[in-house]
Amino acid sequence: MSINAKLQDSLHDQLFKAILKLENLEECYEFFEDICTIQEMKAISVRLEVARMLAAGEIYEEIVRKTGASTATISRIKRCLQFGSGGYGKILERMTADDPNFLKKK
């Protein structure tokens, strides 16, 4: 898929290049703790978990119960999985390649 031209600018490029420089999990924690609030980090983490749960075939009610995400957030992530740029799919595929049980219901 193509990159959304409305998002593409030098500030986003700088951020993503910085993220690509992170070398391990500890560096990710350090960087994201500095650049995001705790709530922002939790929101991003929940979105990835919602994507994982949707890909695993879990239903909205279960996702709401387990994550606390709103049905609007779940719907948006479902649309991204189906019609988005492919970012969630790519990451879920790579994480599943590293851990074949990643997409299994937890």
Side-chain angles (χ1 to χ4, degrees):
M1 295 275 164
S2 61
I3 298 169
N4 184 337
K6 293 178 184 176
L7 292 176
Q8 209 169 7
D9 62 28
S10 62
L11 292 179
H12 283 103
D13 288 353
Q14 177 179 265
L15 172 62
F16 298 141
K17 286 177 183 177
I19 291 169
L20 290 170
K21 295 292 183 189
L22 298 170
E23 295 181 2
N24 55 49
L25 197 55
E26 183 177 342
E27 286 185 4
C28 288
Y29 272 100
E30 292 167 347
F31 180 71
F32 280 92
E33 184 177 340
D34 285 348
I35 202 165
C36 295
T37 66
I38 291 171
Q39 283 308 114
E40 289 167 336
M41 284 183 60
K42 286 182 179 182
I44 293 167
S45 298
V46 165
R47 287 179 181 196
L48 180 58
E49 177 61 2
V50 168
R52 186 202 65 76
M53 292 174 80
L54 286 168
E58 296 203 32
I59 61 172
Y60 276 42
E61 292 82 9
E62 195 65 14
I63 296 170
V64 169
R65 188 182 69 72
K66 289 181 178 177
T67 67
S70 70
T71 55
T73 296
I74 298 166
S75 293
R76 182 184 183 286
I77 293 167
K78 186 174 183 176
R79 277 193 310 278
C80 288
L81 284 167
Q82 293 174 333
F83 308 110
S85 64
Y88 278 124
K90 195 173 293 177
I91 291 302
L92 294 173
E93 183 179 300
R94 290 177 185 172
M95 293 182 85
T96 302
D98 289 344
D99 175 7
N101 295 315
F102 179 72
L103 286 182
K104 295 210 166 55
K105 292 182 181 182
K106 293 183 180 179

